[in-house]
Amino acid sequence: MDDNSPLRGGIGLRLWAALVGAVLVAPTLIVIPLSFTGRRSFAFPPENWSLRWYRNFFTDPLWRDSLLTSLQIALAVAVLATVLGTLAAFALDRGRVPGKALVQGLLMAPMVVPQIVAAIAVYAAFLNWGLSGTALGFVVAHTALAVPFVVVAVSTSLRGYDRRLDRASAMLGAGPLTTFRRITAPLIAPGVLSGAVFAFVTSLDEVVIAFYLQSPTLHTLPVTMFSSVTVETDPTIAAASSIVLVATTALILLPQLLRRTRREGKS
């Protein structure tokens, strides 16, 4: 066997990862510069530079209201999904749940069911329940999509949690709530934070179900972006895309930065 085969395999994997990363990043290298064009066109590269479309994004009531609606719904979804997902992860990790594998599969179902199928089912159900076109309907639907991400993140933290800490805390006279507040919660906090961030981003970026649940007075930013592309296209869509891209990337990297800061603080 060639001694250099592992090395070659490692180099090949790195090259493949670099290629995939380049393909994923390439569109942003076009969209972000386009958002600064001074003309009402998508000519690339831009001939002149301007903040015109960013001003339009934050001053046009349609774009501004859509952004505020998306942020409000995403924040509510992040809170609700984090609470429900954390409780579900604890139940699966520490409770005696009959048919645990089936329950876990049902919780993960929203991650694998095609969104168009879920959207049609949600739309039909919410019409009967009077939730279509309401903020509550958006929150309920997006929470169902976001809970699996929280369950995965918190379950991963719980698998690395040393249960002997709970027993030591009990031996020292601490009750279950004190143990959870002072020991368990701080140790699994990175997983909970990661789940909350993914829940927020999931709601902020979701467009298929939101398209079915929208009303003339209530629509999210992704729906407005989709309508802008299909009805009247101007570079405001590039500004909106750039803002969403930068915001979601920063949010996803936040837990990693906090973990690194925490490790450096301990060392």
Side-chain angles (χ1 to χ4, degrees), residues 196-232:
V197 167
F198 276 104
F200 184 89
V201 171
T202 298
S203 175
L204 188 66
D205 289 345
E206 201 282 320
V207 64
V208 180
I209 293 178
F211 187 81
Y212 277 83
L213 294 182
Q214 68 170 321
S215 71
T217 58
L218 182 67
H219 38 79
T220 60
L221 180 60
V223 172
T224 302
M225 294 170 67
F226 179 81
S227 299
S228 176
V229 171
T230 57
V231 178
E232 182 182 1

Side-chain angles (χ1 to χ4, degrees), residues 81 102-119 122 140-152 202 206 209:
L102 178 60
V103 173
Q104 190 169 9
L106 291 175
L107 285 173
M108 297 298 108
M111 297 180 70
V112 297
V113 174
Q115 282 201 338
I116 185 63
V117 176
V122 167
V140 172
H142 285 182
T143 298
L145 294 177
V147 164
F149 294 96
V150 180
V151 172
V152 170
T202 298
E206 201 282 320
I209 293 178

Side-chain angles (χ1 to χ4, degrees), residues 39-231:
R39 295 190 174 185
R40 192 183 180 88
S41 70
F42 285 96
F44 186 85
E47 297 181 3
N48 51 18
W49 304 93
S50 173
L51 295 175
R52 170 186 176 184
W53 305 111
Y54 285 92
R55 286 195 297 268
N56 187 61
F57 177 79
F58 287 108
T59 56
D60 188 323
L62 177 63
W63 289 101
R64 186 181 63 244
D65 294 347
S66 298
L67 175 62
L68 292 176
T69 298
S70 287
L71 291 176
Q72 291 169 356
I73 292 174
L75 183 60
V77 169
V79 173
L80 185 58
T82 300
V83 173
L84 295 177
T86 301
L87 293 175
F90 265 91
L92 292 172
D93 182 75
R94 301 187 176 185
R96 296 181 178 178
V97 181
K100 181 181 293 188
L102 178 60
V103 173
Q104 190 169 9
L106 291 175
L107 285 173
M108 297 298 108
M111 297 180 70
V112 297
V113 174
Q115 282 201 338
I116 185 63
V117 176
I120 295 173
V122 167
Y123 178 68
F126 281 17
L127 274 180
N128 293 328
W129 299 343
L131 292 177
S132 182
T134 65
L136 179 59
F138 275 95
V139 171
V140 172
H142 285 182
T143 298
L145 294 177
V147 164
F149 294 96
V150 180
V151 172
V152 170
V154 178
S155 296
T156 301
S157 294
L158 288 173
R159 277 195 289 270
Y161 181 80
D162 190 351
R163 297 287 295 274
R164 291 175 297 181
L165 295 173
D166 292 348
R167 291 193 291 270
S169 178
M171 291 176 62
L172 293 174
L177 291 179
T178 301
T179 299
F180 178 82
R181 179 172 55 87
R182 303 190 64 176
I183 298 177
T184 308
L187 290 177
I188 68 170
V192 176
L193 178 60
S194 296
V197 167
F198 276 104
F200 184 89
V201 171
T202 298
S203 175
L204 188 66
D205 289 345
E206 201 282 320
V207 64
V208 180
I209 293 178
F211 187 81
Y212 277 83
L213 294 182
Q214 68 170 321
S215 71
T217 58
L218 182 67
H219 38 79
T220 60
L221 180 60
V223 172
T224 302
M225 294 170 67
F226 179 81
S227 299
S228 176
V229 171
T230 57
V231 178

